[in-house]
């Protein structure tokens, strides 16, 4: 590498994230020292993005940096926790300054937005791969989990799932759309919005929560399995964005909302007794979430359309040819 590892870290990563008073020792030593507030639990998660697997090789560096943190923020959000500190393990084929500057801008912009400090990491040479570890805090015993949904609870999802899957298909030229629609959908893939503020507020209302990364239907199924219940989704209730409907039609938009990936939305359940308070205190329009179904006795996740259970093949739905 033209740039030494130390120079690279100094230049692009030392001041990349937020400054926080609870970081006693950040980048520069052998490990970071962090203070967890009394009465809180440490929440830890990690996710890796491999070039050519989790993003197209030619993705803009700003998107790679943003997504590497966003996918982890989404996991912390789904726990109802507040993100605080990140570590970055970066494997690069070569130290290209323009690429690194863009990458650091993508990661750092989102980190500062959520007051996340970058407190350490590792830099190695090899095929492009970005791994972020994110630590957060939550009041002890207060985290949301996948388990906890009860029959009778209402089922919700944030945002408009399906957009990111269409955005990725556009990126990879497996789908075509008019320019205005294309820009919106591509951005939903390239720069997803982790629902951190919503997740944290949901601790007061939700009985269970999961983040939607592998497709709403599959992830609702995981929540149901962990809770020992069934999830019933209403096809007609699925929130689909106007650009998605205009790009692929209503039918395909709803299939993508169910089975597309990379949404980084929250799927959560709320007991009937808390629904009125939820609607009053977190208005669905302002907070961007929609009721999509109900929790029942049983197992698995099903989609009901005009009163009939839809069949999904094991191989999943074929989005694009
Ligand atoms: P060591 O060899 O002891 O692991 P390094 O020379 O790899 O130390 O790293 C020096 C410092 O820079 C450490 O504090 C480490 O956490 C940090 N660091 C290394 N790579 C990154 C990176 N990509 N992003 C943020 N911090 C990094
Ligand atoms: Mg090291």
């Amino acid at each position: 590498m033209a740039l030494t590892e130390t120079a690279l870290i100094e230049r692009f990563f030392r001041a990349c994230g937020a400054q926080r008073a609870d970081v006693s020792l950040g980048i520069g030593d052998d490990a970071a020292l962090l203070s967890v507030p009394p009465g809180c639990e440490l929440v830890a998660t990690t996710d890796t993005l491999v070039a050519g697997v989790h993003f197209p090789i030619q993705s803009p560096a700003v998107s790679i940096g943003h997504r590497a943190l966003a996918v982890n923020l989404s996991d912390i959000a789904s726990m109802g926790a507040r993100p605080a500190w990140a570590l970055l393990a970066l494997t690069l084929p070569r130290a290209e300054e323009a690429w690194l500057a863009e990458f650091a801008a993508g990661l750092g912009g989102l980190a500062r937005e959520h007051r996340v400090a970058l407190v350490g990491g590792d830099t190695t040479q090899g095929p492009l791969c970005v791994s972020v570890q994110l630590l957060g805090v939550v009041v002890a015993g207060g985290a949301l989990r996948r388990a906890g949904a009860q029959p009778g609870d209402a089922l919700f999802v944030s945002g408009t799932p399906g957009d990111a899957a269409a955005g990725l298909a556009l990126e990879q030229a497996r789908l075509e759309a008019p320019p205005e629609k294309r820009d919106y959908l591509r951005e939903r893939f390239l720069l997803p919005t982790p629902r951190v503020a919503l997740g944290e507020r949901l601790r007061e209302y939700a009985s269970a929560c999961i983040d939607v990364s592998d497709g709403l239907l599959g992830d609702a199924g995981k929540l149901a399995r962990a809770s020992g219940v069934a999830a019933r989704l209403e096809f007609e209730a699925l929130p689909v964005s106007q650009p998605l409907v205009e790009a692929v039609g209503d039918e395909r938009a709803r299939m993508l909302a169910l089975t597309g990936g990379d949404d980084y939305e929250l799927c959560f359940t709320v007991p009937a007794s808390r629904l009125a308070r939820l609607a009053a205190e977190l208005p669905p329009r302002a907070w961007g979430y929609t009721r999509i179904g109900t929790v029942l006795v049983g197992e698995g996740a099903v989609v009901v359309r005009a009163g009939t259970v839809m069949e999904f093949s094991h191989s999943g739905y074929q989005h694009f040819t």
Side-chain angles (χ1 to χ4, degrees), residues 5 9 13 26-31 87-90 118-123:
E5 187 184 327
I9 295 162
F13 298 120
I27 291 176
D29 214 301
D30 288 314
L87 295 122
L88 166 68
L90 182 60
L118 184 62
V119 298
D122 194 22
T123 308

Side-chain angles (χ1 to χ4, degrees), residues 208-228:
C209 187
I210 187 170
D211 84 308
V212 180
S213 50
D214 300 330
L216 174 58
L217 181 57
D219 288 330
K222 287 179 193 166
L223 182 152
R225 202 164 311 121
S227 296

Side-chain angles (χ1 to χ4, degrees), residues 12-60:
F12 297 106
F13 298 120
R14 173 164 314 262
C16 180
Q19 304 296 315
R20 294 179 61 102
D22 53 16
V23 178
S24 337
L25 192 57
I27 291 176
D29 214 301
D30 288 314
L33 297 174
L34 313 165
S35 314
V36 178
C40 284
E41 285 177 295
L42 185 65
V43 186
T45 188
T46 186
D47 252 313
T48 299
L49 303 185
V50 178
V53 178
H54 302 101
F55 58 88
I57 293 257
Q58 289 310 327
S59 283

Side-chain angles (χ1 to χ4, degrees), residues 67-200:
R67 291 184 77 242
L69 183 59
V71 299
N72 284 285
L73 284 168
S74 182
D75 282 325
I76 294 283
S78 73
M79 303 300 290
R82 177 175 294 185
W85 312 290
L87 295 122
L88 166 68
L90 182 60
T91 305
L92 291 169
R94 69 200 86 79
E96 254 177 57
E97 296 188 19
W99 190 95
L100 277 160
E102 258 198 64
F103 173 86
L107 189 133
L110 191 61
R112 291 188 298 274
E113 184 182 327
H114 293 285
R115 294 200 52 246
V116 169
L118 184 62
V119 298
D122 194 22
T123 308
T124 52
Q125 193 158 15
L128 180 59
C129 178
V130 188
S131 192
V132 169
Q133 183 181 16
L134 185 61
L135 305 170
V137 294
V138 69
V139 62
L144 294 173
R145 301 177 183 207
R146 295 177 180 188
Q150 297 282 337
D153 290 359
L155 181 70
F156 295 88
V157 73
S158 66
T160 52
D163 291 344
L168 175 59
L170 286 163
E171 276 296 283
Q172 298 177 324
R174 290 179 289 122
L175 175 70
E176 280 179 28
E180 333 79 75
K181 281 45 168 192
R182 195 167 59 215
D183 292 348
Y184 166 85
L185 295 169
R186 283 182 64 229
E187 191 172 312
R188 297 312 300 151
F189 173 77
L190 294 172
L191 303 173
T193 312
R195 306 299 179 183
V196 177
L198 177 62
E200 213 185 339

